[in-house]
Amino acid sequence: MSAALPGVALKRAVSRRKSIIMVIAKVWQLVRRPEGEPTVEDFLCVEEELPACSEGDSLLILEPDAPDWFSSSVSEIGSSLTVSNADDFTHVLVEAVALSIDPYMRYKARQIPLNTPMFGSQVAKVVESKNPELPVGTHLVHYEGWRTYTVLTSQHLKDKEHFGVMCLPEMGDLPKSLGIGILGMPGNTAYFGFLDICKPKAGDVVLVNGAAGAVGSAVVQIAKLKGCRVIAFAGSDEKVAWVKELGADHAFNYKTMNIGEALSKVAPKGVNIYFDNVGGKFTAQALPHMADYGVVSLCGAISTYNEEVDIGVPSLRSPFNEGTVIWKQLHIEGFLVFRWKARWMEGLKQLREWIEQGKLKYKETVFQGFEKMPSAFIGLFHGENTGKTVVVP
């Protein structure tokens, strides 16, 4: 492996036995633990040689013990996978089409081994395949990180933490990048994290922060579809204007408006549902304005991600005042979207239907060039994105 150089993506390498095509993948590795806000120096772009698919390789195999949700999600979108002997070692070569940038990656930067690819998902296109059922040009979503080319083996189907490899649902004329956005993990985060946890009723007062982000903007619109009154907060006047276009009844710039004063004015009887993407001081200020028996769906806490407090470590810095929680009898629930993996296509189908009906809008902040991965990631913590952040290599 050597330091990355711009330029050639494919080259021919000659061995003593035969001539094969080698693929040069560019890979962003995490080489240093971020201290506070990540910096470009925490990452290093390297080159990696990958072998092409050899004769007889399949695009993808479904292991006999593969989880049921994977096979059901494939059948939902009308695709089929070849079932192969578990002892076979098969692989598929894919090229990144769109790479996802998400706040949760800051947590991952504390967990993954150094000098390995930075964690993340991407929409990728099959560039080599011997399987006629899934030919070259098939699009997939996988979680192998910040890299331009990837060899995916049957072992990736055994990934229990996330989804391993999934076929991209039929997108029609919609951008394939939506498979890592509103028609992917962020979309289902909004869909299930709001509807299943909060169980909204018409007339409920709903508070959403991070409301111009990939998840928050979807929650705002879903809440309106369910007949709720929505109070939204975002980080700039331009974002506030967009959130109002999405249908929010009240929208504020949290940088220029006192959160408590705003909520006292527009929700004098309290907030029934709080979908929290920000945490920290915002939540501490918002919590006293919850109505009795209110529900908090704790999706994220981007304001705290750069603090050096690890998951599972005791902390006395919670924004959730125990007295407020007890006396208001609040229900507070954190979640990871992969809880709903068995219902994954249910969410995506409904979200796509709303998009096609003009009821659900989305935005993407697109960075051109694989070299932009670290700067796009760092930009999340400065509010540089509206909607979903995507890097097109």
Side-chain angles (χ1 to χ4, degrees), residues 40-62:
V40 173
E41 290 73 27
D42 296 329
F43 308 93
L44 176 66
C45 191
V46 301
E47 287 187 345
E48 181 180 300
E49 287 192 353
L50 303 176
C53 291
S54 59
E55 191 65 36
D57 284 343
S58 297
L59 173 77
L60 194 61
I61 67 168
L62 182 60

Side-chain angles (χ1 to χ4, degrees), residues 53-366:
C53 291
S54 59
E55 191 65 36
D57 284 343
S58 297
L59 173 77
L60 194 61
I61 67 168
L62 182 60
E63 298 282 2
D65 61 347
D68 292 339
W69 57 264
F70 185 89
S71 55
S72 64
S73 70
V74 172
S75 63
E76 287 274 7
I77 59 178
S79 298
S80 61
L81 298 182
T82 299
V83 178
S84 179
N85 188 301
D87 294 330
D88 291 343
F89 182 80
T90 65
H91 66 268
V92 53
L93 183 63
V94 298
E95 179 182 10
V97 172
L99 296 104
S100 183
I101 298 292
D102 301 286
Y104 78 84
M105 293 174 177
R106 180 61 182 85
Y107 272 135
K108 282 293 185 179
R110 302 178 190 175
Q111 300 169 345
I112 66 173
L114 293 179
N115 303 309
T116 62
M118 183 59 186
F119 186 90
S121 64
Q122 62 174 256
V123 174
K125 181 175 68 175
V126 176
V127 294
E128 284 204 42
S129 170
K130 307 299 182 182
N131 188 326
E133 294 187 23
L134 291 168
V136 169
T138 302
H139 286 80
L140 309 170
V141 176
H142 70 79
Y143 286 79
E144 292 307 298
W146 295 8
R147 48 189 307 130
T148 55
Y149 288 88
T150 308
V151 172
L152 298 175
T153 75
S154 58
Q155 299 302 310
H156 290 97
L157 294 181
K158 297 180 179 179
D159 181 355
K160 303 298 185 184
E161 183 179 5
H162 295 96
F163 286 118
V165 179
M166 292 187 71
C167 291
L168 188 70
E170 175 56 45
M171 306 295 284
D173 295 330
L174 296 171
K176 288 184 169 53
S177 56
L178 298 190
I180 48 175
I182 191 67
L183 294 180
M185 183 271 289
N188 268 349
T189 297
Y191 182 84
F192 291 112
F194 179 65
L195 295 179
D196 272 35
I197 290 179
C198 301
K199 298 178 174 58
K201 304 182 299 294
D204 279 345
V205 176
V206 176
L207 170 62
V208 184
N209 55 17
V215 175
S217 59
V219 173
V220 167
Q221 297 174 85
I222 295 171
K224 291 303 298 179
L225 287 170
K226 297 301 178 180
C228 301
R229 190 160 66 89
V230 177
I231 305 166
F233 282 83
S236 73
D237 291 343
E238 293 76 15
K239 291 181 179 182
V240 166
W242 182 55
V243 172
K244 288 180 178 178
E245 290 179 17
L246 299 180
D249 297 277
H250 305 279
F252 303 99
N253 183 344
Y254 75 89
K255 295 180 180 178
T256 59
M257 183 68 181
N258 181 278
I259 295 166
E261 290 179 4
L263 292 177
S264 293
K265 180 179 179 180
V266 302
K269 296 183 179 180
V271 171
N272 305 111
I273 295 170
Y274 172 27
F275 195 94
D276 187 10
N277 294 299
V278 175
K281 292 181 180 179
F282 188 105
T283 294
Q285 294 178 57
L287 205 69
H289 298 273
M290 295 295 296
D292 289 352
Y293 310 105
V295 177
V296 180
S297 182
L298 188 52
C299 174
I302 191 172
S303 69
T304 69
Y305 286 173
N306 289 323
E307 297 177 3
E308 296 306 315
V309 178
D310 253 331
I311 298 171
V313 175
S315 172
L316 296 177
R317 292 187 288 178
S318 170
F320 294 98
N321 180 288
E322 291 94 334
T324 301
V325 173
I326 293 168
W327 285 101
K328 289 183 176 288
Q329 301 183 72
L330 303 180
H331 175 86
I332 300 171
E333 184 171 348
F335 70 93
L336 297 176
V337 68
F338 302 105
R339 157 194 325 189
W340 292 281
K341 60 189 178 183
R343 298 170 58 194
W344 199 250
M345 295 308 299
E346 171 195 331
L348 298 190
K349 281 186 171 182
Q350 179 60 82
L351 292 165
R352 179 175 173 178
E353 181 178 320
W354 283 334
I355 291 174
E356 292 173 339
Q357 293 172 346
K359 296 178 180 179
L360 184 63
K361 301 176 182 177
Y362 62 88
K363 273 191 178 181
E364 294 182 315
T365 298
V366 179

